[in-house]
Amino acid sequence: MRNHVAQQLPLEACGLLAGKNDRVEKILLVRNQAQSPVRYVMDPYEQLKAFSWIESHNLDLLGIFHSHPTGPETASATDIAEAAYEVVYLIWSLNGDTWQARGFFIGNGQVLDVPLVIQDG
Ligand SMILES: [Zn+2]
């Protein structure tokens, strides 16, 4: 996921996280239809394909990730306004040269930090 986010620079990257019981088992990359450095819009066809993949593999949608190549490290006003799912919103941002990820629950205009455990491989 980090590689994908880095490769999409300077554009925002986005995708879905699927798994079971709070454990992500599959990362599904989705094209950013907006092709913008400050916005993401999931390509509807790829998003639909990803949703049906998740369903056919008996997994749950656990999270939605996207990147903020120019910050902030937290959810933006747009992210809060557009959050439509009760899942973890994972946001990648650049801290110097290093990508960092933070997780949030976004609902009713509020943002709660969600601790992440990230494993490589
Ligand atoms: Zn955002």
Side-chain angles (χ1 to χ4, degrees):
M1 184 163 39
R2 186 190 293 122
N3 289 342
H4 173 71
V5 162
Q7 278 164 9
Q8 297 302 307
L9 273 176
L11 305 177
E12 285 200 16
C14 55
L16 305 176
L17 305 174
K20 278 281 175 204
N21 304 320
D22 288 349
R23 187 184 168 86
V24 173
E25 294 173 24
K26 174 78 176 174
I27 296 161
L28 300 113
L29 309 177
V30 176
R31 182 176 173 274
N32 180 2
Q33 193 180 47
Q35 293 288 294
S36 157
V38 292
R39 248 184 96 50
Y40 78 101
V41 177
M42 287 202 193
D43 179 291
Y45 175 70
E46 290 192 14
Q47 187 180 9
L48 200 68
K49 233 173 41 175
F51 276 134
S52 59
W53 188 95
I54 292 169
E55 205 165 295
S56 67
H57 288 77
N58 258 321
L59 298 175
D60 298 320
L61 176 67
L62 299 181
I64 295 174
F65 77 89
H66 72 284
S67 61
H68 285 173
T70 57
E73 64 179 88
T74 55
S76 69
T78 310
D79 294 334
I80 295 168
E82 294 184 355
Y85 297 92
E86 287 183 21
V87 299
V88 174
Y89 283 83
L90 195 151
I91 295 176
W92 288 93
S93 60
L94 270 174
N95 184 357
D97 288 336
T98 311
W99 285 99
Q100 59 181 14
R102 290 183 59 180
F104 306 94
F105 274 123
I106 306 174
N108 298 324
Q110 293 196 311
V111 180
L112 293 175
D113 268 280
V114 179
L116 304 173
V117 180
I118 298 182
Q119 298 173 324
D120 280 320

